[in-house]
């Protein structure tokens, strides 16, 4: 058996841990061979691949990024894309694919399975917004990085009597904002799931200043003021139709300064949240996902994704996995409100 592995979409800490687990178990338990396809779906589209043996996965458990590189290529946007993939897999003698990715990569995996190509999916995204799995690896690392940043911002904000707005990732789901905001003791948390009133934010900020503390406002990049529009960095869309968000943090800091007369600054965390070594939790989750993905391939159980349910790794249909985004429920957000202001 020869199995292809690829990583697609935005990178995230833990991708290498999955690749390592897949190759270690596949080679040592089943005696399979592996091919690493480079740059997400671009690899199987163009035939760009590299050998992936035991030596290639040594020392990568703790490394951030992905040794296979990534891209947001969508083969369904390429004329004859699926036939091209079929030909590359046949030419390279690849019997099955393990695709590690988020909503978009797994959406393609599902369509390819429907088109007769055997794919097993592994969920990844720092956003933790994939339905059908309790957690995705990468999320814990992103939250830890954001929390450390918030801890540091508290002390400097207090020294200077400033409000500090910290913009974190999260296009449609505010999980990183909610968890890092709670862990870091933020004075306000703003998520894409719930439009916010700038007047209300200003009230919370002023109340915080009255208590002789400096307000820390955590805002997800996709959060929206009531009646406002998403703040875009550019109007361009990627192959899956996503725009590049960014700017809400600076915009909100300016509004706060103007309305309170107090100095307010913004910090945009950006890709710092996606880089570097994964936390122990993410290494373990990524490793377990990789091991169970190999089991699914061994069973010929294609069109599924491995998922975390409680403490168990289970298999779910890719159609179920990509059906809907897991957003922050209102009651989870409301839990945090007691700390606002
Ligand atoms: O989906 C993961 C994610 O990190 C989002 O939180 C963010 O909006 C997006 O990727 C950024 O993508 P890129 O690095 O391609 O600009």
């Amino acid at each position: 058996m020869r199995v292809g592995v690829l990583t697609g979409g935005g990178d995230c800490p833990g991708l290498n841990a999955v690749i390592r687990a897949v190759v270690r178990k596949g080679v040592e338990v089943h005696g399979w061979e592996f091919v690493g396809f480079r740059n997400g779906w671009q690899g199987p589209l163009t035939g760009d691949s590299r050998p992936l043996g035991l030596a290639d996965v040594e020392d990568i458990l703790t490394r951030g990024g992905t040794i296979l590189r990534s891209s947001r290529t969508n083969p369904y946007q390429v004329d004859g894309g699926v036939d091209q993939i079929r030909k590359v897999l046949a030419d390279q003698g690849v019997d099955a694919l393990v695709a590690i990715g988020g909503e978009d990569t797994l959406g393609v995996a599902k369509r390819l399975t429907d088109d007769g190509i055997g794919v097993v999916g592994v969920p990844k995204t720092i956003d933790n917004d994939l339905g059908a799995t309790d957690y995705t690896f990468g999320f814990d690392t992103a939250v830890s990085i954001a929390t450390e940043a918030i801890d540091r911002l508290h002390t400097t904000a207090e020294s200077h009597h400033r409000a500090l707005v910290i913009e974190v990732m999260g296009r449609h789901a505010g999980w990183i904002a909610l968890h890092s905001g709670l862990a870091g003791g933020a004075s306000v948390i703003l998520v894409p799931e719930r439009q916010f009133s700038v007047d209300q934010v200003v009230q919370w900020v002023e109340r915080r200043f009255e208590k002789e503390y400096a307000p820390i406002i955590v805002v997800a990049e996709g959060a929206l003021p009531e009646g406002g529009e998403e703040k875009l960095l550019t109007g361009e869309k990627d192959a899956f139709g996503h725009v590049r968000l960014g700017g809400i943090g600076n915009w909100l800091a300016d509004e706060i300064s103007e309305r309170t007369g107090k100095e307010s600054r913004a910090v945009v965390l950006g890709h710092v949240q996606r880089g570097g070594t994964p936390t122990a939790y993410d290494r373990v989750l990524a490793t377990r996902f990789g091991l169970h993905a190999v089991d699914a391939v061994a069973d010929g159980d294609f069109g599924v994704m491995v998922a975390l349910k409680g403490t168990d790794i289970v298999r779910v249909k890719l159609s179920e996995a990509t059906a809907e985004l897991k957003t922050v429920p209102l009651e989870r957000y409301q839990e945090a409100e007691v700390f606002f202001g």
Side-chain angles (χ1 to χ4, degrees):
M1 173 94 133
R2 208 162 142 82
V3 179
V5 184
L6 64 91
T7 51
D11 69 346
C12 104
L15 288 169
N16 286 325
V18 180
I19 297 169
R20 168 181 173 270
V22 166
V23 173
R24 287 283 291 270
K25 185 161 186 179
V27 171
E28 288 177 6
V29 176
H30 299 285
W32 297 342
E33 280 179 17
F34 285 91
V35 172
F37 283 108
R38 289 197 184 88
N39 301 315
W41 291 114
Q42 207 181 308
L45 259 180
T46 59
D48 187 2
S49 67
R50 49 167 281 177
L52 199 55
L54 290 179
D56 301 298
V57 299
E58 257 173 34
D59 296 331
I60 64 167
L61 171 64
T62 61
R63 256 167 72 185
T66 158
I67 60 166
L68 297 178
R69 310 292 183 249
S70 191
S71 76
R72 295 193 187 274
T73 306
N74 183 352
Y76 285 92
Q77 293 278 315
V78 177
D79 258 356
V82 179
D83 289 335
Q84 253 171 264
I85 291 183
R86 259 199 212 101
K87 183 170 182 319
V88 166
L89 297 185
D91 288 350
Q92 301 203 11
V94 172
D95 309 296
L97 286 174
V98 174
I100 311 163
E103 181 207 354
D104 300 327
T105 306
L106 297 176
V108 171
K110 186 213 166 281
R111 291 179 72 179
L112 286 176
T113 308
D114 294 345
D115 285 331
I117 296 172
V119 191
V120 168
V122 176
K124 71 84 226 177
T125 164
I126 63 163
D127 295 347
N128 196 39
D129 60 356
L130 273 180
T133 183
D134 289 352
Y135 284 99
T136 47
F137 65 86
F139 173 64
D140 185 65
T141 308
V143 169
S144 303
I145 293 166
T147 303
E148 195 200 330
I150 296 168
D151 291 348
R152 289 173 188 279
L153 292 173
H154 269 296
T155 60
T156 174
E158 262 151 41
S159 309
H160 293 273
H161 313 283
R162 282 176 181 147
L164 277 175
V165 179
I166 171 166
E167 181 182 309
V168 297
M169 281 186 167
R171 246 195 293 243
H172 307 293
W175 291 109
I176 298 176
L178 181 70
H179 280 228
S180 63
L182 270 176
S187 336
V188 182
I189 301 170
L190 304 170
V191 295
E193 291 84 346
R194 196 166 176 195
Q195 294 200 351
F196 63 89
S197 142
V198 182
D199 289 341
Q200 173 69 82
V201 171
V202 165
Q203 269 179 34
W204 282 322
V205 165
E206 282 177 331
R207 204 162 85 198
R208 195 73 187 156
F209 273 128
E210 279 159 21
K211 293 183 202 161
E212 299 284 319
Y213 288 115
I216 301 286
I217 301 98
V218 180
V219 58
E221 61 185 347
L224 282 181
E226 280 167 357
E229 288 185 354
E230 280 179 329
K231 307 276 177 240
L232 306 184
L233 279 183
T234 69
E236 278 170 39
K237 290 190 176 167
D238 68 17
F240 291 93
H242 302 301
V243 286
R244 275 182 66 193
L245 295 182
I248 186 71
N250 279 300
W251 179 83
L252 187 60
D254 288 348
E255 287 288 312
I256 291 171
S257 296
E258 217 167 274
R259 296 188 192 205
T260 62
K262 295 262 186 5
E263 193 182 2
S264 175
R265 302 273 186 96
V267 173
V268 180
L269 267 197
H271 294 88
V272 169
Q273 294 158 97
R274 292 221 311 245
T277 189
T279 58
Y281 179 89
D282 281 339
R283 292 179 203 180
V284 172
L285 182 59
T287 298
R288 293 185 70 206
F289 276 165
L291 298 175
H292 284 260
V294 167
D295 295 345
V297 174
D299 292 346
D301 194 5
F302 298 118
V304 297
M305 176 190 95
V306 290
L308 180 72
K309 288 277 178 213
T311 54
D312 293 333
I313 308 291
V314 298
R315 294 178 202 166
V316 293
K317 290 267 166 235
L318 277 170
S319 48
E320 191 192 320
T322 53
E324 70 182 84
L325 274 191
K326 185 178 64 196
T327 51
V328 174
L330 185 59
E331 58 278 14
R332 285 292 303 276
Y333 182 73
Q334 283 170 336
E335 277 175 5
E337 279 179 344
V338 69
F339 300 105
F340 293 2

